[in-house]
Amino acid sequence: MFDGMDGAGGMDGVGDVDEVDRVDRVDRTDRTDRTDEARGAAGPPKAPPGSNGRPVGRRAATGRRLAAVLLVLPVLAAAGLVLGAGEATAAALCPGRLVKTVTFSTGSLHVYKSRAYACAVTVAKKPGARREMKVSLQPRGGRAVVDQGKFTTRAGPVRVHALNRCVRASGSVGGSAGSTGWIGC
């Protein structure tokens, strides 16, 4: 009746299956190692994930993102404090380096120059209600590009092609205005 039982109370072959499966896994690992060596993939043995003390998976990515945000926020805040709100806004809108800033009672005019282009923005000193603002940028020998209207914060940016050319800019907020004359010559 119990022909399939061994003296230990277990069924014959059950322990053998586990052992065969274990041997098969070891054999597959052996083959993988040998094929890596044949391909020339030499190097230190691979450590299991998480063995170096670092978090694994989503937690690691979230931690890196958080660290990046914590590093960037103070830099952005410092840029706002050092440059002022108007200059930070103008710098974000125009590529290139700041060439000239003209301040007047109700705002300021910022002119930027990159290799081939010039850019200008007029920024209100106190943003708020809509009021007449204007920015104009002209390359020497070319037509002026103008942005004019009723704005709350800024007029522009306006860009002109100015490779090896002088430019002049003017801006106004309300009744007050400022201009640069020819610059970048």
Side-chain angles (χ1 to χ4, degrees):
M1 178 167 170
F2 294 105
D3 289 331
M5 299 289 285
D6 64 359
M11 293 175 58
D12 278 344
V14 172
D16 296 339
V17 171
D18 287 339
E19 189 171 330
V20 167
D21 188 34
R22 192 181 82 244
V23 169
D24 188 37
R25 270 186 272 144
V26 169
D27 187 42
R28 272 187 265 143
T29 305
D30 248 5
R31 272 186 269 140
T32 304
D33 290 344
R34 275 187 252 130
T35 55
D36 285 346
E37 288 171 8
R39 278 189 242 138
K46 294 180 178 95
S51 65
N52 61 357
R54 294 184 182 156
V56 179
R58 287 186 182 173
R59 286 179 52 203
T62 303
R64 284 191 297 267
R65 256 185 256 128
L66 180 62
V69 167
L70 291 176
L71 288 173
V72 170
L73 283 177
V75 172
L76 292 177
L81 293 174
V82 171
L83 295 175
E87 289 183 34
T89 303
L93 297 170
C94 283
R97 64 181 178 86
L98 182 63
V99 176
K100 184 90 171 181
T101 299
V102 177
T103 57
F104 43 93
S105 62
T106 55
S108 57
L109 169 67
H110 306 279
V111 182
Y112 294 83
K113 183 95 165 58
S114 64
R115 177 166 156 53
Y117 289 91
C119 179
V121 179
T122 299
V123 181
K125 189 176 279 184
K126 294 182 181 174
R130 289 187 178 275
R131 57 192 158 183
E132 192 66 33
M133 291 188 200
K134 176 182 177 180
V135 64
S136 171
L137 184 62
Q138 178 183 5
R140 189 177 291 256
R143 289 188 160 199
V145 177
V146 179
D147 184 21
Q148 182 175 358
K150 291 194 176 208
F151 305 113
T152 58
T153 309
R154 63 178 168 76
V158 291
R159 286 179 63 179
V160 295
H161 189 267
L163 182 64
N164 300 325
R165 288 189 189 181
C166 303
V167 294
R168 70 176 168 191
S170 63
S172 65
V173 176
S176 184
S179 63
T180 62
W182 291 106
I183 59 172
C185 299

